[in-house]
Amino acid sequence: QKLVQLIKERRPDITLVTFKTTSDAPETLYEKCVLQQQQTKADYVVGNDIKTRHNILYTKYSVVSGDRGDILERLAEVIRDE
């Protein structure tokens, strides 16, 4: 079990952001972000494919795609608005 998987178990009150980097097709990036969120219980997963430069911000409720700057700005917005 990875350390990040223990964070929400021990501190469910914190906002957890994880990052997933792939070098596959964008569909695979989405699937891997879903799996990472399920395994870690992260509130947000930022996905980045290094070959396609496809970026997503994944939550249990929505998926946003865009360039890296847009995704990071959106992440800052949603965390600030919590």
Side-chain angles (χ1 to χ4, degrees), residues 5-69:
Q5 292 172 308
L6 300 174
I7 293 172
K8 281 299 228 185
E9 286 179 23
R10 295 188 181 178
R11 292 290 311 271
D13 58 309
I14 66 167
T15 299
L16 178 61
V17 178
T18 62
F19 296 83
K20 186 66 184 175
T21 300
T22 65
S23 60
D24 303 309
E27 300 81 25
T28 304
L29 176 62
Y30 172 80
E31 293 168 1
K32 289 183 178 181
C33 286
V34 170
L35 182 61
Q36 179 149 323
Q37 190 283 325
Q38 291 171 344
Q39 291 174 339
T40 64
K41 307 296 186 244
D43 299 287
Y44 307 99
V45 180
V46 177
N48 172 34
D49 187 275
I50 59 174
K51 285 187 179 177
T52 64
R53 296 193 173 269
H54 183 77
N55 298 276
I56 64 172
L57 173 60
Y58 175 83
T59 74
K60 291 186 289 187
Y61 309 107
S62 67
V63 177
V64 178
S65 63
D67 69 31
R68 184 174 15 169

Side-chain angles (χ1 to χ4, degrees), residues 15 44 72-82:
T15 299
Y44 307 99
L72 294 177
E73 281 183 36
R74 180 71 181 130
L75 176 62
E77 288 172 7
V78 296
I79 290 174
R80 182 179 55 236
D81 293 344
E82 282 189 346

